[in-house]
Amino acid sequence: MTEQKGRLSELCKAYTDLSEGDIHELLQAADNLLIKNTYDDSDVFIDVFNEITREALVVFHKRPKERISLYEKDIIGQDALLKNEPGVIRTFETSLNTIGLLAVSQEGRPIIQNIYPIRNQTKTIGVIIVEFGIMQKDNIPKHNEENYQPIASNISAFRKDYANHIPEAIMEFNSKGYLVGYNKGSVDLYRRIGYRNKLLGMHYDNLTLDYTTFEYALYQFSCMDELGPLESSTAYLDYYFNIKRIWLQKEKSLVLIIQDVTEVHKKEEEIISKSVAIQEIHHRVKNNLQSVVSLLRVQARQVNSLEAKKVLNESVNRVMAIATTHELLSKQAEDEISLYQTIEVIVYNFRRVFQNDKNISLKIDVDRSIVVESSQMVSISIIINELLQNIYEHAYSSGEKGNASIKATLLNNFLTITVEDDGHGYSVHNQSKDSLGLMLVKSYVKDKLNGKLKIESNTHGTKAMFYFEKDTKDVVR
């Protein structure tokens, strides 16, 4: 007895994440099985969940006193494989009893298992498995024919050639909870998760894939003011299912529909995983660009030429405009950005750089619901940066007050952005030839956004407007 308990404790510590309290509960269960005359005519096991192999692990075995054991060898420390013993994992997953399920032993013998959960408070920490040889018919649950004779109902009236082409598992249980009808999808589903039994005549409680027993399902229906379907979702092993239960009042039967949504769930997880990775990439790009900005600022402080300082500071603003887009993308899952937020950050950077030199009031008039795809937003950021650079450097004299604005409108999926000031203006024709900033603006509007640009300027100010079609996958929220 001491040796058995010692092996149980060692295996639990080596292969599970069970606490000392959990292991104590399992030792108590083993004590009860050894001391009491319970299941003296059967092989009885305690299994736990092996965190390494993700299968059930045998940690205790009590051989029968009144029969010859089904096992010739010691199997403590071996796994109970899902493909051979589906009921064991089922009880781990659902915390429900599994009665009379066919299985194959570690020695290749066909057996029948009754499986009961061992719980510590709300957690299933192990299972007790009572096993019978296939010929021990006295221990196999008996179902009278009356328990599963098909009854007239909407489901049993289905033409088989229709029902069998539906991928969902559709099963009908009579008023006592026994399966009286099912489609091919049901057979396929339960074969995938290891069931070997013929489904007809099995009880609901042996087939449910979540915590819901037949009695509890009936209780749920009885609490309804108006009878309707009960819907739930569950995870079972590596599968994900949507489950619908329908009570047919006239036939006194329960219809269970199980939809396998594993592939959909996996694709959703894959999308989330990729989204997280993309966010991390944007975060790293932003950090790298900020490193470039730091180097340019250091270089700008070290040069004596005013023209060189100007060029380097303009480069800083251009890089910061791109970094702004990546910074916003690193904080969200979608590959689209709020136009207002992007412009707000760009404006903030300009105010910080020119706070001691320019007294310009800059207003943002942009609908906060407009979002733009990231690649387009990079181009927009560079264009707005160049237009603001022109305003802060050329529109006003030193110490002069000024007013500027950035507006955006969206109509029929065409986005129009206007940057306007009330400064001194300039010759658009002459400036366009000599200004790198305006050359960049024209290039990005035409080549990157496939848009149109219009600039008007006189002694009362300058108005630059560009418009383009937003990426068709973008939406306005």
Side-chain angles (χ1 to χ4, degrees):
M1 181 184 297
T2 303
E3 181 185 354
Q4 279 259 51
K5 292 167 63 178
R7 293 178 71 186
L8 184 153
S9 181
E10 289 174 5
L11 288 166
C12 288
K13 290 176 180 178
Y15 295 101
T16 75
D17 59 0
L18 297 175
S19 67
E20 291 292 338
D22 295 333
I23 296 173
H24 177 74
E25 289 295 322
L26 292 172
L27 291 171
Q28 286 289 105
D31 267 339
N32 290 335
L33 291 172
L34 290 168
I35 295 170
K36 297 179 180 179
N37 295 324
T38 312
Y39 309 124
D40 279 350
D41 61 343
S42 308
D43 284 276
V44 184
F45 299 89
I46 293 177
D47 283 14
V48 295
F49 187 71
N50 188 333
E51 294 292 341
I52 298 174
T53 64
R54 313 302 292 174
E55 299 276 5
L57 175 69
V58 182
V59 295
F60 171 86
H61 180 195
K62 174 190 172 184
R63 293 177 180 271
K65 294 180 180 178
E66 300 175 3
R67 292 180 183 267
I68 298 174
S69 174
L70 298 172
Y71 293 84
E72 296 179 2
K73 299 177 182 178
D74 179 12
I75 64 164
I76 293 177
Q78 293 187 27
D79 282 335
L81 303 178
L82 168 66
K83 64 180 182 179
N84 293 331
E85 302 179 49
V88 177
I89 293 295
R90 176 187 179 274
T91 295
F92 271 116
E93 290 283 318
T94 65
S95 296
L96 296 175
N97 297 341
T98 302
I99 306 299
L101 218 61
L102 290 174
V104 175
S105 73
Q106 281 84 348
E107 296 180 356
R109 185 193 299 264
I111 54 174
I112 294 169
Q113 294 179 324
N114 291 346
I115 306 155
Y116 311 95
I118 303 172
R119 299 177 66 80
N120 187 13
Q121 297 181 350
T122 60
K123 177 184 177 184
T124 298
I125 59 175
V127 294
I128 294 174
I129 307 168
V130 183
E131 292 188 353
F132 314 103
I134 204 73
M135 300 307 295
Q136 290 176 254
K137 295 182 179 179
D138 292 342
N139 296 302
I140 303 174
K142 298 180 178 63
H143 304 308
N144 296 329
E145 288 297 317
E146 64 181 24
N147 284 336
Y148 52 89
Q149 282 297 322
I151 56 178
S153 72
N154 293 335
I155 299 302
S156 57
F158 260 157
R159 286 176 56 105
K160 284 188 177 180
D161 55 341
Y162 291 160
N164 287 337
H165 282 85
I166 297 174
E168 290 81 4
I170 304 176
M171 295 176 283
E172 180 185 358
F173 299 85
N174 67 13
S175 60
K176 297 180 180 180
Y178 292 98
L179 185 65
V180 296
Y182 55 89
N183 68 341
K184 183 178 181 294
S186 304
V187 178
D188 294 340
L189 169 60
Y190 282 92
R191 290 294 177 265
R192 285 203 305 276
I193 58 178
Y195 275 62
R196 296 169 177 268
N197 298 63
K198 291 182 178 179
L199 297 182
L200 189 67
M202 290 188 71
H203 196 271
Y204 178 99
D205 292 358
N206 261 352
L207 292 167
T208 181
L209 299 178
D210 60 13
Y211 63 88
T212 309
T213 62
F214 185 73
E215 183 179 354
Y216 183 66
L218 294 185
Y219 168 75
Q220 287 180 297
F221 285 117
S222 70
C223 294
M224 289 183 171
D225 294 329
E226 184 176 343
L227 206 58
L230 293 170
E231 298 184 18
S232 64
S233 299
T234 190
Y236 184 89
L237 303 172
D238 294 327
Y239 297 94
Y240 294 88
F241 299 113
N242 288 337
I243 300 175
K244 182 178 289 188
R245 300 170 179 84
I246 304 169
W247 178 252
L248 304 178
Q249 183 63 35
K250 181 179 178 181
E251 294 82 4
K252 301 297 182 187
S253 65
L254 173 66
V255 174
L256 182 67
I257 303 173
I258 304 176
Q259 181 186 22
D260 187 346
V261 292
T262 305
E263 287 304 314
V264 174
H265 193 275
K266 286 182 177 179
K267 288 187 182 299
E268 289 175 349
E269 287 185 334
E270 184 180 341
I271 290 170
I272 292 171
S273 176
K274 287 182 178 179
S275 177
V276 171
I278 290 170
Q279 283 179 270
E280 178 60 22
I281 290 170
H282 285 301
H283 179 72
R284 294 187 182 189
V285 170
K286 182 262 296 185
N287 287 345
N288 291 337
L289 290 173
Q290 286 183 333
S291 296
V292 173
V293 166
S294 298
L295 292 172
L296 290 172
R297 283 174 174 163
V298 169
Q299 195 168 7
R301 287 195 293 269
Q302 291 178 343
V303 299
N304 296 321
S305 168
L306 293 178
E307 183 63 26
K309 284 181 181 290
K310 177 177 178 294
V311 171
L312 288 170
N313 285 329
E314 287 177 353
S315 298
V316 165
N317 285 336
R318 287 171 183 139
V319 175
M320 284 298 295
I322 300 171
T324 294
T325 302
H326 290 286
E327 181 178 16
L328 293 173
L329 282 168
S330 72
K331 297 177 181 178
Q332 61 188 46
E334 297 85 4
D335 190 33
E336 53 191 20
I337 316 172
S338 163
L339 180 62
Y340 180 90
Q341 281 186 304
T342 305
I343 295 174
E344 188 177 41
V345 175
I346 294 171
V347 168
Y348 170 78
N349 289 334
F350 270 91
R351 285 172 175 163
R352 185 178 62 178
V353 171
F354 292 98
Q355 60 183 342
N356 297 324
D357 301 327
K358 302 291 182 179
N359 186 11
I360 299 174
S361 174
L362 187 51
K363 181 181 177 182
I364 303 173
D365 184 10
V366 177
D367 189 336
R368 291 174 183 262
S369 67
I370 298 176
V371 292
V372 181
E373 194 270 332
S374 60
S375 63
Q376 287 189 321
M377 189 61 82
V378 170
S379 300
I380 293 169
S381 299
I382 291 173
I383 294 166
I384 291 175
N385 177 82
E386 296 303 326
L387 294 173
L388 288 179
Q389 188 87 28
N390 196 54
I391 290 174
Y392 272 87
E393 289 188 352
H394 304 295
Y396 305 97
S397 302
S398 179
E400 185 180 3
K401 291 184 178 180
N403 297 288
S405 65
I406 303 174
K407 299 179 182 178
T409 56
L410 182 64
L411 181 64
N412 296 329
N413 207 47
F414 276 85
L415 183 60
T416 302
I417 299 176
T418 305
V419 180
E420 191 171 5
D421 67 72
D422 60 357
H424 300 301
Y426 60 91
S427 170
V428 175
H429 178 71
N430 292 332
Q431 190 78 2
S432 297
K433 294 179 179 179
D434 303 326
S435 171
L436 174 63
L438 288 180
M439 288 173 61
L440 285 173
V441 168
K442 289 182 176 180
S443 174
Y444 271 83
V445 171
K446 179 182 177 182
D447 300 331
K448 301 293 184 180
L449 297 177
N450 294 318
K452 299 291 184 181
L453 171 69
K454 183 178 182 182
I455 300 177
E456 299 174 352
S457 186
N458 54 44
T459 55
H460 301 292
T462 302
K463 180 180 179 181
M465 180 187 72
F466 63 99
Y467 66 95
F468 59 94
E469 186 175 13
K470 271 177 22 75
D471 194 297
T472 54
K473 67 182 177 183
D474 296 327
V475 294
V476 178
R477 296 177 185 171

